[in-house]
Amino acid sequence: MKKTFPIIIALITLSLMGIIYIQVSWLRNLAFLREEQLKEKLSAVIQQVGEELVVQRSDAFNNLGRMPGMKFPGDGYDIYKQFSVTNRFTIYEIREKLQKAFIRNNLKDTEFEFAVASDNVFGHYELKSPRFMDMASDTVHNLKAWYPLVASSGSILESLAPDEVFVIVVPDVKSYVLQSLGWMIAGSILFTLIIITAFFLTIRTLLRQKKLGDMKNDFINNMTHELKTPLATISLAVDALKNEKVLGNPEKLGYFTNMIKDENKRMNKHVESILQAAQMERQEVQLNLRELHVHDIIRNVLTNLQLQIEEKQGKVDVQLTATNDLMDADEVHLTNLINNLVDNALKYSKDDSFQLHISTKNMGKFIRVTVEDHGIGMNKETLARVFEKFYRAHTGNVHNVKGFGLGLSYVKTMVEAHGGKVKADSVIGKGSTFTVDLPLKK
């Protein structure tokens, strides 16, 4: 699992990047296609309106020529100039024709500007819409189309009518394309977010599974070691009891018998710890609440651990200064959580000395119990995970500190079950401080 996990993460990351790349490429291609479609529709619009303008210009000239007694004022060029598009139509009329053409080509809400240039000279616009000049100069963001207003072949105006060019500009094409793709872009973004969320949840689940797998392996290793040691001791004691010299010596017989009893208690304690953890996991722990004095619980715990404290040649400073220590609590679980805190201080004390400070004081409706040691301390990573189940601050298979990593997890669970809070502070090399706030009896 350790070797394949980075590969799985890499594959998931590459897959996510591939999906995002495909989404971006699809949107880019779709935007390009929409822009090309806009160009085609704009060409159709300008061609339709341009042809209409040319036809209506020719019809006007033909009708004028058929009027009886009609004379052309001035020379011929002035006559034909009189019927050019710029003189024949107003800006309003051309805009109206364009709007109808835009609607026919499914471009109803498209903004546009237009102009008519004379003599095929772009820039010499005799007729133009108000914002045309501002739009025509920007060919990067705006789309321009033009159509020559040339008289049809074989008509009277074919060689006489002035050459004119009809120009249309659609401003800010990119924005138009993006607006037309609004729902698709929103759907693509939503789909991408869903994919990213799914990948994130997958990776988080994998990390959690890896963490649980490591915790399981550590727990199995610790449990194997913790149960193997007393079993080996019991086996040696049983072999010793078979010895005739031991059988004939009541003192040695009692010594090995007590050893078997103590190791049996030790194994039973480990089994009880595992069972308690299972009960807490299933939330099956039921508290048998009754009135208790916290100070009495602390004194009983210190009395029971007196031999271990003497073996460490330790010093215990007790300052039970709380004026009110009465609370409703489960005697067994309250004793166990205090015992675990003191036992934890013993386990992680320095080899040369052991110092423990236990104090109490009232904090409003709570009694605060502080257990402070001068042991090896904890780093920030260990401190952040110290209340996690099965977590132990050790490396490799070194079992200099015994246990399953359940003690402090049990403490946190029991403190919260009683309606209290617990926190830990520590400095590497200087020791650790555990602060427990428990509610007083109402």
Side-chain angles (χ1 to χ4, degrees):
M1 181 65 180
K2 292 182 178 180
K3 294 181 179 179
T4 59
F5 187 76
I7 298 176
I8 295 174
I9 296 296
L11 290 175
I12 291 176
T13 304
L14 289 175
S15 300
L16 178 60
M17 293 175 62
I19 291 175
I20 295 176
Y21 176 78
I22 291 173
Q23 287 285 323
V24 173
S25 299
W26 176 70
L27 288 175
R28 187 187 296 115
N29 294 333
L30 194 57
F32 176 77
L33 179 61
R34 283 298 174 89
E35 189 171 347
E36 292 298 317
Q37 291 175 349
L38 177 61
K39 290 179 181 179
E40 293 178 1
K41 291 181 178 180
L42 185 60
S43 297
V45 168
I46 196 171
Q47 183 177 356
Q48 293 170 10
V49 176
E51 291 177 352
E52 185 178 353
L53 293 175
V54 170
V55 170
Q56 291 183 3
R57 180 184 64 181
S58 300
D59 292 343
F61 177 81
N62 294 333
N63 292 333
L64 179 63
R66 294 190 184 96
M67 290 181 181
M70 185 68 182
K71 296 181 179 180
F72 297 153
D75 57 25
Y77 181 81
D78 292 335
I79 290 296
Y80 298 121
K81 181 70 174 178
Q82 180 182 351
F83 291 96
S84 64
V85 170
T86 55
N87 289 328
R88 178 67 181 84
F89 300 96
T90 65
I91 292 178
Y92 175 79
E93 290 174 332
I94 297 178
R95 182 178 293 277
E96 187 177 12
K97 295 178 183 295
L98 285 172
Q99 288 175 343
K100 292 179 179 179
F102 271 93
I103 293 174
R104 286 196 301 269
N105 289 274
N106 297 322
L107 297 174
K108 179 179 180 181
D109 298 325
T110 305
E111 297 182 4
F112 63 89
E113 300 295 331
F114 63 93
V116 177
S118 63
D119 299 328
N120 265 345
V121 180
F122 288 102
H124 181 206
Y125 301 104
E126 295 188 358
L127 184 149
K128 58 183 179 291
S129 59
R131 298 178 58 223
F132 175 80
M133 296 305 297
D134 297 333
M135 302 291 104
S137 59
D138 187 354
T139 58
V140 177
H141 301 93
N142 304 331
L143 181 61
K144 181 186 292 186
W146 62 277
Y147 181 81
L149 301 175
V150 180
S152 58
S153 177
S155 66
I156 301 176
L157 296 177
E158 180 180 0
S159 58
L160 299 177
D163 293 330
E164 294 174 300
V165 178
F166 187 32
V167 185
I168 299 178
V169 177
V170 175
D172 205 0
V173 177
K174 301 297 182 183
S175 297
Y176 171 83
V177 172
L178 291 178
Q179 289 177 2
S180 66
L181 298 176
W183 287 106
M184 293 185 181
I185 293 175
S188 178
I189 292 174
L190 178 61
F191 176 75
T192 302
L193 290 176
I194 292 174
I195 293 297
I196 291 175
T197 303
F199 275 81
F200 171 75
L201 293 175
T202 301
I203 292 177
R204 191 178 72 170
T205 302
L206 288 174
L207 291 173
R208 181 178 176 135
Q209 292 295 328
K210 181 178 181 297
K211 179 181 176 182
L212 291 175
D214 293 340
M215 290 169 57
K216 180 196 70 174
N217 292 335
D218 290 341
F219 172 73
I220 292 174
N221 292 334
N222 293 332
M223 183 180 65
T224 301
H225 177 81
E226 295 296 340
L227 295 181
K228 185 177 180 181
T229 301
L231 286 174
T233 304
I234 291 173
S235 179
L236 291 174
V238 170
D239 291 338
L241 289 175
K242 294 179 181 179
N243 193 310
E244 294 180 359
K245 294 181 179 180
V246 174
L247 291 174
N249 189 332
E251 183 178 350
K252 290 184 178 181
L253 185 64
Y255 171 78
F256 286 112
T257 303
N258 290 332
M259 181 183 294
I260 293 173
K261 185 178 180 180
D262 291 340
E263 293 300 322
N264 184 62
K265 289 182 179 179
R266 181 178 169 186
M267 283 195 301
N268 185 66
K269 183 179 179 181
H270 290 327
V271 173
E272 286 295 329
S273 297
I274 298 172
L275 292 176
Q276 284 179 354
Q279 288 179 339
M280 289 188 294
E281 185 72 24
R282 296 192 299 266
Q283 298 181 348
E284 294 180 354
V285 176
Q286 293 183 353
L287 300 180
N288 183 20
L289 300 178
R290 65 185 185 90
E291 290 185 1
L292 293 173
H293 288 277
V294 178
H295 291 171
D296 292 341
I297 300 295
I298 294 174
R299 293 189 186 98
N300 292 336
V301 169
L302 292 176
T303 300
N304 294 333
L305 294 176
Q306 187 63 36
L307 291 177
Q308 297 182 36
I309 294 173
E310 291 177 356
E311 287 180 3
K312 287 277 188 177
Q313 299 179 351
K315 178 181 178 182
V316 180
D317 178 27
V318 182
Q319 296 181 4
L320 306 180
T321 59
T323 57
N324 182 10
D325 67 333
L326 186 64
M327 65 172 296
D328 289 324
D330 186 300
E331 183 176 5
V332 174
H333 290 299
L334 183 60
T335 301
N336 287 340
L337 75 87
I338 298 295
N339 184 85
N340 282 343
L341 291 176
V342 178
D343 184 62
N344 193 70
L346 285 166
K347 287 180 180 179
Y348 292 97
S349 63
K350 296 178 181 179
D351 295 334
D352 53 350
S353 63
F354 169 69
Q355 295 184 17
L356 180 66
H357 302 277
I358 300 179
S359 62
T360 62
K361 64 179 180 178
N362 290 121
M363 301 290 293
K365 297 180 180 180
F366 292 82
I367 179 173
R368 174 166 291 179
V369 180
T370 303
V371 179
E372 180 182 359
D373 65 66
H374 295 273
I376 60 176
M378 295 178 285
N379 57 31
K380 291 183 179 180
E381 180 184 359
T382 301
L383 189 62
R385 301 182 58 188
V386 71
F387 292 111
E388 290 183 13
K389 189 178 297 184
F390 303 122
Y391 179 76
R392 297 184 66 211
H394 67 84
T395 58
N397 292 321
V398 180
H399 293 271
N400 54 325
V401 178
K402 302 181 184 303
F404 297 146
L406 297 172
L408 293 178
S409 173
Y410 171 82
V411 168
K412 186 175 187 295
T413 302
M414 286 299 105
V415 169
E416 292 177 350
H418 282 83
K421 298 179 181 179
V422 60
K423 69 174 184 177
D425 297 298
S426 184
V427 178
I428 287 288
K430 294 185 178 181
S432 304
T433 301
F434 290 88
T435 303
V436 178
D437 290 335
L438 296 169
L440 294 168
K441 181 176 177 59
K442 296 181 182 180

